[in-house]
């Protein structure tokens, strides 16, 4: 499956962005999807995941601020990010795997290219 992320940009602290990740190549509904991020000088970290039946998971650092969702008709997963903080600045990557636990561990099969989110203070 090929993944194409978009929607990053520059936003002030407290603002919002919505990231999108469009998938192609395989049956989208068969895949769990997720988002990771990598800040400068740091390791890539799990942000959020959504199972094939739309059960959602979040890192503690983004819980209650970020919302992951999926639209199987559009083969797209979204990450709505509210109340953004400077520490949310990172390159955000979408991820896919037929097994949810591999996304949550970052050992999933498929990665999209990153989209940069910059939050100014």
């Amino acid at each position: 499956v090929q993944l194409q992320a978009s929607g990053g940009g520059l936003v002030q602290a407290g603002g919002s962005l919505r990231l999108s990740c469009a998938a192609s190549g395989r049956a989208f509904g068969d895949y769990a999807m997720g988002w990771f991020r990598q800040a400068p000088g740091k390791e890539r970290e799990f942000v959020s995941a959504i199972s094939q039946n739309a059960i959602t998971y979040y890192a503690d650092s983004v819980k209650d601020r970020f919302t992951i969702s999926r639209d199987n008709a559009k083969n797209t997963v979204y990450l709505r990010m509210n109340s953004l903080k400077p520490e949310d600045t990172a390159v955000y990557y979408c991820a896919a795997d037929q097994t949810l636990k591999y996304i949550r561990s970052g050992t999933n099969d498929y990665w999209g290219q990153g989209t940069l989110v910059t939050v100014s203070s």
Side-chain angles (χ1 to χ4, degrees):
V1 62
Q2 292 80 44
L3 304 174
Q4 181 74 36
S6 62
L10 174 64
V11 63
Q12 288 188 330
S16 299
L17 280 176
R18 188 181 77 162
L19 306 183
S20 301
C21 177
S24 61
R26 298 287 178 92
F28 181 73
D30 290 345
Y31 288 81
M33 303 295 295
W35 290 94
F36 287 74
R37 66 186 181 186
Q38 187 167 20
K42 295 187 177 181
E43 294 188 351
R44 186 160 53 189
E45 64 175 359
F46 170 79
V47 174
S48 183
I50 185 166
S51 70
Q52 290 88 333
N53 58 351
I55 297 172
T56 58
Y57 304 86
Y58 298 95
D60 288 343
S61 59
V62 307
K63 202 172 295 183
D64 299 326
R65 298 188 299 122
F66 290 10
T67 303
I68 191 171
S69 61
R70 64 188 298 158
D71 185 337
N72 289 349
K74 295 183 178 180
N75 289 358
T76 301
V77 62
Y78 304 98
L79 185 69
R80 176 69 179 182
M81 306 184 294
N82 295 329
S83 302
L84 282 161
K85 305 175 182 180
E87 52 263 44
D88 295 317
T89 295
V91 177
Y92 283 71
Y93 298 89
C94 60
D97 200 286
Q98 290 185 304
T99 303
L100 176 65
K101 68 177 182 180
Y102 295 143
I103 291 184
R104 299 191 70 187
S105 66
T107 57
N108 47 280
D109 285 338
Y110 303 101
W111 292 95
Q113 95 296 352
T115 186
L116 176 63
V117 172
T118 304
V119 184
S120 63
S121 57

